[in-house]
Amino acid sequence: MTVFLLPFPTNGVNLQDYIHRVSMFSIITAEIRWFIQGSAYGMVHEWLKVLDGLYQEEPPRTDLYLIFPGGHDLGVKLRQGKIDLKKKLAHHGQYDHEANAGRIESWIKWSIDGEEGLSPDNNFFGDPTHWLPIQKTRFLQKYVISGDQLILPPRAGFPEKGIAVELSAVKVLGQDWWTFGLECFGNTGDIHTDLMKLLPRLTIGFPAGMLAAERSMGYPEWIGQLIKKP
């Protein structure tokens, strides 16, 4: 993990001039995610709320994603004054359990602090039409991983290793979607093993058959499919 403490500028500057002055955080994740069109996620929301982790509902927000046609392994987004960059590191096979199936992938993410007004309208980011706005409301259950145990995380701070179970209601290009995923985080090489091991436990009672393998992908691939549709 790398941290620098000076703010990100919000007008056009040379990259080399500011790269040593930004606040940057990096982390490795193992993830599995699905995207389903529509807004019929109520059953999943009720299931999520009764899990025994730390339940959180986040206020609605709009994230802006840089459009990379065909770029399934790289994602760039602006969210709440931050820049997030994600690169896929590896594919770890398919999860298949109780009629739900999906792909497990590992990613590295860099998060760069900026200012609340950071947006593609700033000169640094070029043409605003290259960015796709996605409205989302996220519902989460969070855990700390301690050996083979899942324990409640502190409400403040960032644990060394943990996992989040996420349901998000999404609006994009005039369409309603929802996405369900699990993200295991921690700067170690074995977190995809942790995710594979914990998936059956964390999806007990999940509605069977809703999560098909062809719906399983990360945000960059899903966005690539969206922008290809007429």
Side-chain angles (χ1 to χ4, degrees):
M1 179 171 62
T2 306
V3 178
F4 302 92
L5 297 177
L6 292 177
F8 190 91
T10 57
N11 47 25
V13 294
N14 182 276
L15 177 64
Q16 291 182 337
D17 290 341
Y18 77 79
I19 195 64
H20 298 295
R21 298 185 283 118
V22 300
S23 172
M24 180 182 294
F25 173 84
S26 66
I27 196 164
I28 295 172
T29 64
E31 305 176 18
I32 185 168
R33 178 175 294 279
W34 296 262
F35 289 89
I36 298 92
Q37 191 164 9
S39 56
Y41 58 85
M43 186 182 303
V44 178
H45 188 206
E46 292 304 313
W47 168 86
L48 183 71
K49 286 194 295 185
V50 300
L51 295 183
D52 58 357
L54 175 61
Y55 177 72
Q56 295 177 301
E57 294 190 14
E58 296 184 348
R61 74 188 200 208
T62 299
D63 293 347
L64 299 164
Y65 287 78
L66 189 60
I67 298 171
F68 286 109
H72 296 170
D73 296 337
L74 181 66
V76 180
K77 74 177 178 184
L78 304 182
R79 63 170 180 94
Q80 299 171 315
K82 299 179 185 292
I83 305 174
D84 286 347
L85 301 93
K86 290 184 70 172
K87 178 175 174 55
K88 188 186 299 183
L89 297 177
H91 174 59
H92 299 288
Q94 181 164 300
Y95 167 77
D96 199 338
H97 183 70
E98 295 184 349
N100 293 315
R103 301 184 323 216
I104 296 176
E105 300 169 339
S106 60
W107 296 74
I108 183 168
K109 179 171 76 173
W110 299 270
S111 185
I112 305 171
D113 284 341
E115 299 176 9
E116 205 60 34
L118 192 64
S119 78
D121 295 330
N122 302 130
N123 294 335
F124 177 79
F125 294 102
D127 190 341
T129 63
H130 295 162
W131 298 82
L132 179 67
I134 298 180
Q135 300 174 32
K136 58 178 74 168
T137 303
R138 302 205 311 160
F139 312 96
L140 302 161
Q141 287 279 7
K142 295 182 178 180
Y143 304 84
V144 170
I145 300 172
S146 179
D148 291 332
Q149 302 298 313
L150 291 172
I151 61 176
L152 291 180
R155 290 189 175 270
F158 199 81
E160 181 178 345
K161 185 187 288 189
I163 190 165
V165 185
E166 175 209 326
L167 167 68
S168 290
V170 172
K171 290 183 180 294
V172 59
L173 298 176
Q175 305 170 19
D176 289 318
W177 289 76
W178 60 274
T179 176
F180 176 76
L182 295 94
E183 178 181 297
C184 188
F185 59 85
N187 287 325
T188 65
D190 61 351
I191 54 172
H192 67 278
T193 303
D194 289 323
L195 179 58
M196 291 181 195
K197 181 172 58 179
L198 293 169
L199 266 167
R201 188 191 316 179
L202 288 172
T203 55
I204 290 174
F206 191 93
M210 297 186 72
L211 305 178
E214 62 269 20
R215 295 171 168 175
S216 178
M217 65 196 77
Y219 266 94
E221 184 173 349
W222 174 64
I223 290 170
Q225 292 185 7
L226 281 176
I227 62 177
K228 283 183 181 179
K229 292 181 180 179

